[in-house]
C-alpha cells in the first residue's frame, strides 16, 4: 500500500500537460453561438456530415459557401500581451475555392484559395499576442462549393522553465525515496 502511495506522491510532482482551450464552442456543437458572423452568410451553417466529410471533433462542423463575396466568423479571445498562444483548426476545402483566410491577434495565419481542394487537414500556428484581447477570424468565399471548419483551438503556451522549483524536486525525491524504501522492505520480508 505504501508503494502505491509513493507512486501517487511522485506523480503529483509532475506538471499538468493539458492546455485549456480558450475558444468557446470550438467544434460548433451549439451552431454559431459564441461566434460572430460577418459579411456574406448565405450558404453558411453547421451540420454533421457534409460533402462526404464527418466532423473531426464532436458531431458538428461549420460549412461556408459564400458566393460572389466573402463572409465568415470571428471570436474575441482574452490574451496577455507578449505571451505565446497556439492556434489550431481543422479545415477541408472542396476544389474551386476563391478565398480562405485565418487571422489571430492581427497576424495572418493562412491566406489561400485552395482552388484544387484539400482533404481535412490540421493547421497549427504559435503566435505572440500583442494586446489583452485578440480576435480569431475566419474569412471565406467558395462559389461552387464549400469550406468546412472544425476543432478550433487557442491555447496559452506556458513558458518553459528548464529548472524545476525546489518544492517539485523535494516532492519528487521524497516519492522516489518512499518507492525505494518500500521495495527494500519487500525484499527483506521475502528473504
Amino acid at each position: 500500500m505504501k508503494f502505491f502511495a509513493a507512486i501517487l506522491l511522485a506523480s503529483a510532482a509532475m506538471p499538468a500537460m493539458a492546455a485549456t482551450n480558450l475558444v468557446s464552442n470550438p467544434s460548433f456543437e451549439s451552431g454559431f453561438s459564441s461566434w460572430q458572423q460577418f459579411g456574406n452568410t448565405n450558404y453558411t451553417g453547421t451540420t454533421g456530415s457534409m460533402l462526404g466529410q464527418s466532423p473531426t471533433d464532436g458531431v458538428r462542423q461549420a460549412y461556408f459557401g459564400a458566393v460572389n463575396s466573402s463572409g465568415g466568423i470571428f471570436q474575441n479571445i482574452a490574451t496577455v500581451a507578449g505571451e505565446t498562444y497556439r492556434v489550431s483548426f481543422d479545415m477541408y476545402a472542396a476544389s474551386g475555392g476563391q478565398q480562405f483566410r485565418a487571422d489571430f491577434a492581427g497576424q495572418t495565419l493562412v491566406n489561400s484559395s485552395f482552388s484544387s481542394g484539400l482533404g481535412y487537414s490540421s493547421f497549427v500556428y504559435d503566435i505572440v499576442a500583442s494586446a489583452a484581447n485578440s480576435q480569431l477570424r475566419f474569412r471565406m468565399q467558395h462559389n461552387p462549393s464549400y469550406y468546412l471548419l472544425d476543432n478550433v483551438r487557442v491555447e496559452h503556451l506556458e513558458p518553459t522553465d528548464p529548472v524545476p522549483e525546489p518544492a517539485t524536486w523535494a516532492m519528487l525525491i521524497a516519492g522516489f525515496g518512499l518507492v525505494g524504501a518500500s521495495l527494500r522492505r519487500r525484499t527483506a520480508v521475502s528473504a
Side-chain angles (χ1 to χ4, degrees):
M1 188 64 151
K2 288 182 183 177
F3 176 75
F4 292 112
I7 294 291
L8 183 60
L9 182 62
S11 66
M14 302 298 173
M17 299 304 279
T20 302
N21 189 0
L22 302 175
V23 175
S24 296
N25 191 24
S27 294
F28 309 100
E29 302 304 307
S30 302
F32 285 123
S33 69
S34 301
W35 293 92
Q36 298 289 320
Q37 290 184 282
F38 66 90
N40 184 348
T41 58
N42 292 327
Y43 309 107
T44 298
T46 63
T47 187
S49 182
M50 184 171 188
L51 302 174
Q53 302 299 311
S54 296
T56 61
D57 183 57
V59 297
R60 301 194 68 74
Q61 60 192 335
Y63 62 89
F64 302 88
V67 176
N68 298 326
S69 62
S70 63
I73 57 173
F74 70 89
Q75 191 173 128
N76 293 316
I77 309 289
T79 55
V80 176
E83 295 287 324
T84 303
Y85 294 83
R86 175 157 293 151
V87 180
S88 62
F89 54 89
D90 298 335
M91 189 272 292
Y92 171 88
S95 61
Q98 283 71 43
Q99 178 188 39
F100 180 91
R101 180 174 174 154
D103 299 289
F104 179 70
Q107 299 178 51
T108 300
L109 307 177
V110 62
N111 187 12
S112 180
S113 66
F114 297 102
S115 59
S116 60
L118 179 70
Y120 246 127
S121 300
S122 295
F123 293 79
V124 180
Y125 304 91
D126 290 347
I127 302 294
V128 176
S130 58
N133 190 26
S134 298
Q135 190 173 93
L136 176 61
R137 176 181 287 259
F138 296 95
R139 176 184 297 274
M140 290 153 266
Q141 179 182 342
H142 202 309
N143 290 355
S145 192
Y146 296 93
Y147 288 109
L148 305 178
L149 182 66
D150 202 12
N151 195 24
V152 181
R153 301 185 65 80
V154 174
E155 299 167 326
H156 180 237
L157 297 180
E158 297 292 331
T160 56
D161 186 1
V163 180
E165 295 179 14
T168 302
W169 274 115
M171 191 178 298
L172 190 60
I173 290 169
F176 285 129
L178 287 172
V179 169
S182 175
L183 289 175
R184 187 175 26 197
R185 175 181 265 175
R186 282 189 180 184
T187 304
V189 172
S190 299

